[in-house]
Every structure is written in C-alpha cells, then in structure tokens.
C-alpha cells in the first residue's frame, strides 16, 4: 500500500538524487585520476578491502626461482628509476627566483629542493668540518630549510675566513644576476684552490685527510663547472668549451657531474658538429648509462645530413636512402629511450623551467633536454620536419604491453610517480607513457550518472508513462494476494 501511494515526484527526486551522487563520484574519480594516475576506488579496494577478503598481493614474487634474465631486467628497471642531478640546472637566485618574482609561481617542488640539499651535504661536507669554524657553520647551513637562514649562515662563515662553500651558496641563492653569480664563483675558486692544494698534500696521512681531500675535489669541480656555465650563459661559449675540456681532462674520473652534456650543448651552440660527433663517439657507449642528450644529439647529427632535402612524398615514392634510413633509425632509438621529448621539440606541449633533478626516460628529463636543445633542432633546416614525420613510427616497433623493449630495456613503470614529485603539477600536466586507459570505475560511474539522469528526466516529463512499469509489479502482487 505504501509503494502504491508513491507519486511520480518521489521517483523524480529519487533518480535525480542518484544522478547527483554518481555525478559527484565521477568528478572526484576523474580529478583523482588526473592528479595521481589511478582510480581512488580501485586503490582503496586493492589496498584495504582485498587483504580483508583474503586476497594475495600480486606484487609479491610467486616463484622464488627467478631466472637470471628477469633479475637483470629488474635491476636495470631499479637503476633507471634513479633520480639524477640535472647537469644543466639553472641558478636558483638568478633564474628560478626571478621566475617566481615575475609569475608568482614556484618552479621547484619541495621534493626537488630536498634532493638538492642532500646533494650539497654529500658534496660539500665531511666529518672533519668541525675542525674549521667556517666549515662547521656551513655544515649547518646546508641543512637549513629557510633560504634566508642559509644566506645569513654563509655571510657569518665569510666573516671568519674565505670559505669556498659559503661563496657557492651565495652565488647559487643570493645572486640575482648571472654576472653577480660569476663574480662570487671566482672568489669561491680562489678559496677552493687553496684548500684543494693543502688537502692534496695531506691526503695520504689518514682517512680523515682523505675524506677532506675528496670534499675539496668535489667543491673545486663544482665551482669550475658552474663558472663554465656562467660563461656559456653570458655568450662566451668558446671560453666555456675550453673550461669544460680542461675540467674533464683534469678530473677524468668524476663522471657523476655529467660535464660532457654541458660540453655537447656548448658545441652545438658553436655549430661545431665534428667535435660533437667526437664526444658522442666517446660517451655513447653500451657500457655507459644513456641519456636523452646523447640519444637525441646523435639523432640530430644523422638527421642533419638528410633533413634539408627530405620530403615524405618523395620518400614514399622512391623509398628511403641509406642515409635517410640511418637518420630514421636514430630518431626511433631516441624516441624509444625517452618518448616524451618529441612533443616538446615539436611544440605540441608547452615548456616549463627544468627541475634541479631529472629522471632518465621521464618527463622531467624531456623538459630539461628540450629547454636547452630546442634552439639547436630549429637551427638545422628540416630536422624538426623529419622528426615530425617519423617519431610516431617508433611505437609500432616496441612490443605491447611493454614486457620488453626493442633497443633498450622495457620502459620503467615508476617514471610517472617520480615525475609527479619532481615537477610542479599545479601548472604543468605530467606526460605519461604509455597512455593509461580510463579505469573501470570512472566508466561505470559515468554510465550510472547518465542513466539515472535520463531516467529522472523521463519520469519528470512523462510521469504516467514511466509509472506503468513501476506500478505493474505492484498490481500483480495485489491480484496474487486477493486470490
């Protein structure tokens, strides 16, 4: 009797409320998927409900006897997810902070700056810092989170003595122009060379002196590299190239700074392609870790030989020549290593300031490469046209799903998570590869919302017609009861 007395308005309100609730769930699911790359309902069900129902975590290894090939692949995947220092990182005071003053946006994330603080403590401090008052102050300064506190500590250290690391901090964070940063780095070089010569003479007197010499070496290499970058930014490119070559010759074993990538960019600016090829021949080796700079620079050099006369129509009629085939293969190799770069080079996606750390094969590395190398691709006539015509063909050669690669190891699945920590997602949409399909729950809530909204609309417009299927089961039940 209660159900029989319900009016069509009740059904309109019921279906409308259902549509509203499912719509709100759909909006939240879509926002969560865009921000974190996964479904909230799916994540909660897998993380919390599945263990309660007795499910087994699929990430745990089911077979302890893993083959050597799978183990090597896993180790390579872990190494490729390592975050690296950006060899072309900008100056925080003269470039990053100026961007913040103009736009009001923070170009660096907390995670990125925290990694830089850890790098500074690793490179610029040692256990014997407490023996020198200025170094003891700087050891605390590198751990400070507040920029003004770090700058004040650096000035305090300079009041005691000429401290190279104090000059480094002021050049990086307080200097508002590249010329001012260069002046401070020159003062740091004078102080750093003195410390380096003293520790070099005492390095064999014990582990403490050896650690001090290692720290002084890191400080000296960092200062010289940044001075070379200042020269490059101020237009003295030949001087920068000479400084980088001398630095690589003086400290050949310090490959952690990746100075060869700075050298490649400066040589490309000089259009000295023969020297670029010589550097690539040394560092594009199978035993060395690859980078987007190495792979895409090799592709640019091969594209340069054919790009000015390349025509897709002519190539489709007569086929590719040997030189064109080599250029296309080099582009495919580069795109397989980092598939995010072409959209930035072709200006299909807007660039932002590169972070201080990058993830190889990730969106952060693509931004860092394109930010400095887009001008070099534009300078080579037809290179971007050749890239535009051929880069998407790479994905036809890569096995799908990405269980194995074609020329490299399979694309790591951890890049999206790390890139979301390194890049400012507030105003930058992180590039994801491979493109994720929409989760089931987003499609389900979209269908439920559409269905209930249509049902509410039909019930409101045609209450008598929509009331027939609702009342029919009630009439049949009443007839059954009377019989």
């Amino acid at each position: 009797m209660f159900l029989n007395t319900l009016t069509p308005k009740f059904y309109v309100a019921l279906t409308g409320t259902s549509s509203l609730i499912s719509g709100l769930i759909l909006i939240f699911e879509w926002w969560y998927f865009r921000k974190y790359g996964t479904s909230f309902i799916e994540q909660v069900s897998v993380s919390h409900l599945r263990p309660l129902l007795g499910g087994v975590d699929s990430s745990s290894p089911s077979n302890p006897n893993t083959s050597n090939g799978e183990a090597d692949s896993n180790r390579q995947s872990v190494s490729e997810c390592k975050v690296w220092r950006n060899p072309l990182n900008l100056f925080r005071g003269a470039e990053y902070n100026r961007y913040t003053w103009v736009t009001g946006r923070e170009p660096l994330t907390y995670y990125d700056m925290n990694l830089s603080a850890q790098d500074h403590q690793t490179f610029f401090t040692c256990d014997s810092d407490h023996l020198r008052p200025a170094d003891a102050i700087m050891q605390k300064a590198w751990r400070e989170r507040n920029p003004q506190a770090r700058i004040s500590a650096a000035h305090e250290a300079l009041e005691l003595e000429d401290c190279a690391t104090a000059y480094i901090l002021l050049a990086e964070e307080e200097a508002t122009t590249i010329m001012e940063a260069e002046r401070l780095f020159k003062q740091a070089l004078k102080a750093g060379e003195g410390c380096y010569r003293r520790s070099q003479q005492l390095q064999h007197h014990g582990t403490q002196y050896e650690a001090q010499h290692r720290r002084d070496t890191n400080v000296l290499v960092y200062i010289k590299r940044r001075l070379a970058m200042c020269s490059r930014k101020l237009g003295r490119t030949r001087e920068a190239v000479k400084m980088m070559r001398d630095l690589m010759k003086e400290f050949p074993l310090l490959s952690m700074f990746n100075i060869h990538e700075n050298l490649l960019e400066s040589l490309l600016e000089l259009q000295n392609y023969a020297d670029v090829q010589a550097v690539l021949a040394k560092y594009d080796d199978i035993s060395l870790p690859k980078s987007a700079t190495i792979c895409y620079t090799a592709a640019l050099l091969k594209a340069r030989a054919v790009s000015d006369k390349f025509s897709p129509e002519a190539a489709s009629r007569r086929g590719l020549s040997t030189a064109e085939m080599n250029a296309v293969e080099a582009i495919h190799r580069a795109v397989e290593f980092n598939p995010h770069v072409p959209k930035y080079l072709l200006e299909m996606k807007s660039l932002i300031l590169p972070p201080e750390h990058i993830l190889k094969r990730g969106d952060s590395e693509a931004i860092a490469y394109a930010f400095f190398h887009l001008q070099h691709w534009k300078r080579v006539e037809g290179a971007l046209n050749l890239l535009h015509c051929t880069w998407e063909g790479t994905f036809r050669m890569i096995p799908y799903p990405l269980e194995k690669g074609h020329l490299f190891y399979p694309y790591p699945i951890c890049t999206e998570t790390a890139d979301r920590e390194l890049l400012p997602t507030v105003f930058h949409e992180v590039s994801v590869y491979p493109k994720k399909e929409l989760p089931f729950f987003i499609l389900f809530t979209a269908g439920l919302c559409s269905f209930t909204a249509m049902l509410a609309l039909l019930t409101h417009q045609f209450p008598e017609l929509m009331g027939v299927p609702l009342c029919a089961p009630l009439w049949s039940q009443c007839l059954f009861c009377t019989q």
Side-chain angles (χ1 to χ4, degrees):
M1 290 294 294
F2 171 74
L3 294 175
N4 196 24
T5 57
L6 294 177
T7 62
K9 290 183 179 180
F10 169 79
Y11 296 108
V12 173
L14 178 65
T15 52
T17 305
S18 302
S19 177
L20 176 63
I21 294 174
S22 56
L24 293 175
I25 295 174
L26 173 64
I27 293 172
F28 175 76
E29 274 282 293
W30 177 255
W31 169 82
Y32 194 88
F33 174 73
R34 295 279 298 201
K35 186 172 180 63
Y36 299 105
T38 184
S39 166
F40 175 77
I41 300 176
E42 182 179 347
Q43 186 179 19
V44 170
S45 60
V46 170
S47 303
H48 301 286
L49 299 182
R50 190 173 182 183
L52 294 176
L53 297 176
V56 180
D57 189 4
S58 60
S59 62
S60 60
S62 58
N63 183 13
N65 299 323
T66 308
S67 64
N68 293 333
E70 292 175 349
D72 292 341
S73 178
N74 291 336
R75 282 195 296 269
Q76 180 68 17
S77 178
V78 171
S79 66
E80 285 189 342
C81 290
K82 174 185 174 183
V83 176
W84 299 73
R85 182 83 177 173
N86 182 5
L88 294 168
N89 65 308
L90 305 177
F91 292 85
R92 194 175 290 186
E95 292 172 306
Y96 287 121
N97 286 350
R98 291 181 69 182
Y99 175 83
T100 303
W101 298 335
V102 172
T103 64
R105 294 174 172 177
E106 289 290 344
L108 298 175
T109 63
Y110 173 77
Y111 177 70
D112 192 15
M113 291 189 288
N114 188 46
L115 289 176
S116 296
Q118 295 176 21
D119 290 341
H120 295 152
Q121 292 176 50
T122 302
F123 294 147
F124 304 148
T125 63
C126 67
D127 294 336
S128 62
D129 281 344
H130 64 278
L131 300 176
R132 294 190 288 192
D135 288 335
I137 293 174
M138 289 307 301
Q139 190 175 42
K140 296 179 181 178
W142 294 120
R143 297 172 181 169
E144 283 285 349
R145 292 187 178 181
N146 186 359
Q148 291 303 321
R150 290 196 297 270
I151 293 172
S152 299
H155 283 293
E156 183 182 348
L158 288 175
E159 290 176 0
L160 299 177
E161 61 175 327
D162 265 1
C163 180
T165 53
Y167 283 121
I168 289 176
L169 193 147
L170 295 178
E172 291 285 354
E173 301 194 18
E174 188 182 41
T176 56
T177 63
I178 301 298
M179 294 183 67
E180 186 180 353
E182 185 182 37
R183 178 181 60 80
L184 288 168
F185 272 121
K186 286 181 178 179
Q187 292 177 277
L189 179 63
K190 184 178 179 181
E193 284 179 335
C195 292
Y196 175 76
R197 283 193 296 268
R198 287 192 296 270
S199 62
Q200 190 177 26
Q201 296 172 357
L202 302 173
Q203 61 176 316
H204 301 297
H205 290 191
T207 56
Q208 176 181 326
Y209 294 103
E210 185 180 351
Q212 200 172 46
H213 177 65
R214 192 184 309 115
R215 189 276 308 272
D216 292 338
T217 303
N218 290 335
V219 170
L220 186 62
V221 172
Y222 185 90
I223 293 170
K224 289 187 174 183
R225 173 174 159 269
R226 292 304 257 178
L227 275 173
M229 294 177 68
C230 288
S231 298
R232 167 69 183 91
K233 292 175 184 292
L234 294 172
R236 305 194 303 268
T237 311
R238 295 187 184 280
E239 179 184 339
V241 168
K242 183 181 183 304
M243 294 171 69
M244 292 173 194
R245 288 189 187 278
D246 293 342
L247 186 58
M248 293 169 66
K249 195 177 298 182
E250 186 179 0
F251 302 98
L253 299 179
L254 286 180
S255 60
M256 70 183 91
F257 291 104
N258 291 325
I259 304 172
H260 61 275
E261 297 199 5
N262 299 84
L263 179 60
L264 283 173
E265 196 278 328
S266 298
L267 290 173
L268 286 171
E269 176 64 21
L270 294 174
Q271 301 184 42
N272 195 342
Y273 298 111
D275 286 353
V276 172
Q277 185 63 55
V279 175
L280 285 177
K282 182 178 179 181
Y283 288 95
D284 193 4
D285 187 79
I286 192 171
S287 62
L288 296 175
K290 297 291 185 294
S291 67
T293 300
I294 289 177
C295 294
Y296 278 90
T297 302
L300 176 62
L301 291 189
K302 292 189 177 180
R304 176 175 168 269
V306 297
S307 60
D308 57 338
K309 299 177 181 177
F310 178 78
S311 170
E313 294 81 8
S316 61
R317 287 196 307 269
R318 58 173 170 77
L320 294 175
S321 63
T322 303
E324 290 172 339
M325 184 64 71
N326 291 336
V328 171
E329 288 177 354
I331 289 175
H332 287 175
R333 173 177 178 263
V335 174
E336 182 182 351
F337 182 83
N338 194 317
H340 309 284
V341 172
K343 287 189 176 181
Y344 293 108
L345 292 180
L346 298 172
E347 299 181 87
M348 300 165 63
K349 207 167 186 291
S350 59
L351 276 171
I352 60 172
L353 293 185
E356 293 183 338
H357 290 80
I358 59 173
L359 184 70
K360 290 194 174 183
R361 308 186 74 176
D363 190 32
S364 52
E365 185 192 34
I367 291 171
Y369 173 78
F371 186 86
F372 294 99
H373 288 261
L374 176 59
Q375 56 179 330
H376 306 315
W377 279 81
K378 287 184 175 180
R379 191 176 292 124
V380 177
E381 184 182 354
L384 289 175
N385 178 47
L386 179 60
L387 178 68
H388 174 73
C389 296
T390 57
W391 75 278
E392 291 182 331
T394 309
F395 306 116
R396 291 193 291 268
M397 301 185 301
I398 301 175
Y400 186 84
L402 302 177
E403 297 172 352
K404 58 180 182 177
H406 178 60
L407 297 174
F408 298 99
Y409 282 91
Y411 190 80
I413 60 175
C414 60
T415 55
E416 180 187 356
T417 305
D419 279 333
R420 290 186 185 280
E421 295 288 339
L422 290 171
L423 299 173
T425 54
V426 176
F427 55 89
H428 173 72
E429 183 181 353
V430 176
S431 178
V432 179
Y433 174 80
K435 199 68 176 177
K436 290 189 174 181
E437 298 179 356
L438 286 177
F440 165 76
F441 288 104
I442 289 184
L443 301 175
F444 175 76
T445 51
L448 181 64
C449 178
S450 303
F451 175 74
T452 52
M454 186 180 299
L455 197 61
L457 180 63
L458 292 175
T459 306
H460 177 71
Q461 293 293 332
F462 310 103
E464 295 82 4
L465 183 62
M466 295 300 295
V468 173
L470 294 174
C471 295
L474 299 176
W475 281 110
S476 61
Q477 186 177 3
C478 292
L479 291 174
F480 177 75
C481 293
T482 54
Q483 290 176 355

